Structure formats: structure tokens, C-alpha cells
Amino acid sequence: MKRNRLILLFSVILLLSQSAKAQIYDTLSKFGASWKYLDTDFNPDSATWKSTTYSDAAWSCGPTPIGYGDTWIITCIQSGCVNDITCAPACGTKNITAWFRQVINVASVTTYDSVIMDGLIDDGLIMYVNGNQIWSYNMPATWNSSTWSNTTISGSAETTLVHQAIPMTHWVTGNNTIAVELHQRGPTSSDLTLDMRFLFRHSGSASTSVNNIPGNNTQFDLYPNPSQGEFIIETKDPTLSSSEVSMTIFDITGRKIAEKPIRFTDSKSNQNLNLARGMYFVNLVSGNANTTFRINIDK
């Protein structure tokens, strides 16, 4: 039931943030989808684990968000802490890397001209399509399974979606293998998160740039998150400080529970909403600025 509600909610968010004319996408892999994962202190063969022919039958499987250390995690994985397999491990000897695989079926690859990946990523990531590296995030230029990520993902960045345009170069008609290696920032890092969706853009759609995908802008920050219901929205764009911004809040079922305009004082807006404990989504819109945050109320 929890997974179904997450899928429903993200479908609502997607419909909210798309315009019928400019963005024509098929969501071939949704938030909350199941991924195969390997969370043991073992480095799969670098030449084969990301290929289409590799057998991941022995890997575990579960719906996203996958990871540990955050209240929104649905599938908790091993951290590497000895005698501590809880969802909130606290040791200083965590595994550096975890590996993930998912198969996406594309009925006809010629239908699409690009893919948009939306994701929650904590901390660093390298992604492959059918064995070909297509993207790295928060990672150094060279790495191996023992490489820590560049920085720690924390604060509002933990619940802000990362958007990445992916060309169709390595996709094929039929089954496609997405392989991801997720890297920690350090052995004492408190959390690890992976959640993704893949939006396939129809050939000939009016919008061709990832910068035109609603929700990808980062003109706003929201913190602290989690909170007890009080949080600050901060704008990074000085022109928005004098603009009216529309804030809409959805609960875990996709139901709109609040909508109101907000204004900023010295680039910040203090919000105190009477929200029950749980997960919510905050959508902020002002002109071309459009950002969605996932927030956690922890009372």
C-alpha cells in the first residue's frame, strides 16, 4: 500500500509539472519501482556486472527509495556496520559502494529522442545503460569501488530532485539494463539514498532542453528537512525576493492539502504549517522557476 501511494503521488507531481503542449513524455520507470541491489562488501567484476548478460539472480530486490539512515527509506540495505543491520547504522566502517540494476523495456526506441532522469541521489553516482557509462554525479574524474564521493549531500539537497538529460545513443528496442553504483562520502556518513524515474521524450516534441523540464530549477532551498513543521524557504535568485511565489503541498496519497502565495524577506520566507507526522511534497512556482521538494515531518 505504501509503495502504491508513492507511485500515485509522483504521478500527480508529474502531471502538475508538465505542460500538455511542450512536454510529451512516457514514464517507463517510476519512482517507487523495484531495483535489484548488491549491498555486501564485494566488488562485482567491473567488466560484467553492468552488462545486459550479467546474472543478478542472487541479488536482493526492493522498491525505492533504497538506502538507509533517512525516515523516507522503504528498502533498507546493509551498511557494512558489523552486528548492526538496522536502517539507522551508526558505525564508522560503512561500505563505500552499493550496486543497483533495473531493466526498462522500450517498445520502440525510434519513438523517443531523449530521456530525462529525475533522481534523489545521496551521495555520489555512476550510471550505465546496457554496459555503457552515460553519467556520473558528485564523483571525481577517475574512480574505482573504493572511491568516496566528492562531497556530502545534506540539508535540502537530500530531498531536491536531480535532473539529467540522457541521449538515446545506447538505448535499444526491447529490454535495457540500467546499472548504478552508489558511493558514500565517507565511512561515518549517516545515510545513503537512491530513487529514480526515467521520462522518455517523444521525437518531435517542442521542448528539446533539460532546462525546459519543469521542476529542474534550483532557485529555491528548503530547510531544515526533516523538521517538526517549521521550515524556511530561501530563494537564490534576487529577482524572486520581490515576487509572489505559489506554494502547493501534497500528502503521500497525492491529495492537495495546502496552497497559498508566499513572499520573501531578505530572500527568506518562514513557514509554520500544521502538518501531521509523515512525508509531503512542496511545489514552488514563480514564472519559470519551478521546484519540488520532498519533506519529512518528524514530530
Side-chain angles (χ1 to χ4, degrees):
M1 180 63 71
K2 186 176 182 182
R3 177 186 174 190
N4 291 338
R5 287 179 175 178
L6 278 173
I7 293 174
L8 171 62
L9 178 56
F10 278 109
S11 297
V12 171
I13 296 291
L14 176 60
L15 290 173
L16 253 181
S17 60
Q18 290 183 338
S19 89
K21 179 179 179 180
Q23 293 103 28
I24 305 175
Y25 297 96
D26 291 335
T27 307
L28 300 189
S29 179
K30 299 180 179 181
F31 290 114
S34 289
W35 288 69
K36 290 290 191 74
Y37 63 91
L38 182 67
D39 56 358
T40 58
D41 187 16
F42 170 74
N43 180 19
D45 186 284
S46 60
T48 62
W49 78 273
K50 49 188 175 284
S51 73
T52 58
T53 57
Y54 178 83
S55 175
D56 56 18
W59 290 29
S60 301
C61 184
T64 57
I66 294 178
Y68 55 80
D70 290 308
T71 55
W72 52 77
I73 297 297
I74 293 179
T75 301
C76 295
I77 69 174
Q78 296 183 50
S79 67
C81 292
V82 178
N83 298 324
D84 186 353
I85 56 173
T86 67
C87 291
C91 75
T93 55
K94 296 184 178 71
N95 294 335
I96 300 172
T97 308
W99 293 269
F100 304 85
R101 286 168 55 93
Q102 184 190 57
V103 174
I104 297 177
N105 184 270
V106 180
S108 175
V109 73
T110 58
T111 301
Y112 310 104
D113 59 16
S114 61
V115 181
I116 298 298
M117 188 288 306
D118 292 340
L120 292 177
I121 303 166
D122 185 352
D123 290 290
L125 172 145
I126 302 148
M127 181 184 293
Y128 308 86
V129 171
N130 296 325
N132 302 281
Q133 182 192 330
I134 59 168
W135 183 50
S136 67
Y137 171 77
N138 195 25
M139 292 294 294
T142 59
W143 66 84
N144 56 37
S145 62
S146 299
T147 303
W148 302 110
S149 66
N150 286 334
T151 62
T152 298
I153 301 300
S154 61
S156 62
E158 291 186 320
T159 51
T160 302
L161 293 178
V162 175
H163 303 258
Q164 177 64 28
I166 299 173
M168 293 300 299
T169 307
H170 300 296
W171 298 84
V172 299
T173 295
N175 288 336
N176 293 262
T177 299
I178 310 301
V180 169
E181 51 184 281
L182 193 62
H183 292 241
Q184 269 286 20
R185 174 54 184 160
T188 60
S189 181
S190 61
D191 53 8
L192 190 77
T193 301
L194 179 70
D195 197 2
M196 288 184 173
R197 71 179 176 190
F198 291 86
L199 311 178
F200 285 70
R201 197 183 80 101
H202 282 239
S203 301
S205 297
S207 173
T208 58
S209 171
V210 68
N211 294 322
N212 293 325
I213 304 302
N216 75 317
N217 301 299
T218 56
Q219 288 95 330
F220 302 104
D221 275 336
L222 185 152
Y223 58 89
N225 187 16
S227 77
Q228 292 189 339
E230 298 181 11
F231 54 87
I232 296 171
I233 298 172
E234 182 174 358
T235 176
K236 302 177 183 178
D237 185 345
T239 64
L240 294 178
S241 295
S242 57
S243 302
E244 185 175 277
V245 175
S246 173
M247 178 177 69
T248 308
I249 300 178
F250 300 86
D251 68 11
I252 194 67
T253 69
R255 179 174 60 95
K256 183 192 298 184
I257 60 173
E259 183 175 19
K260 70 173 186 176
I262 62 174
R263 291 192 174 275
F264 296 91
T265 302
D266 296 328
S267 77
K268 296 181 180 179
S269 177
N270 294 301
Q271 299 295 318
N272 189 351
L273 299 177
N274 185 24
L275 298 174
R277 179 184 176 91
M279 183 188 298
Y280 298 87
F281 293 83
V282 177
N283 181 241
L284 303 171
V285 178
S286 179
N288 291 326
N290 186 329
T291 303
T292 299
F293 295 94
R294 174 162 53 185
I295 65 172
N296 231 52
I297 303 301
D298 187 11
K299 293 183 178 181

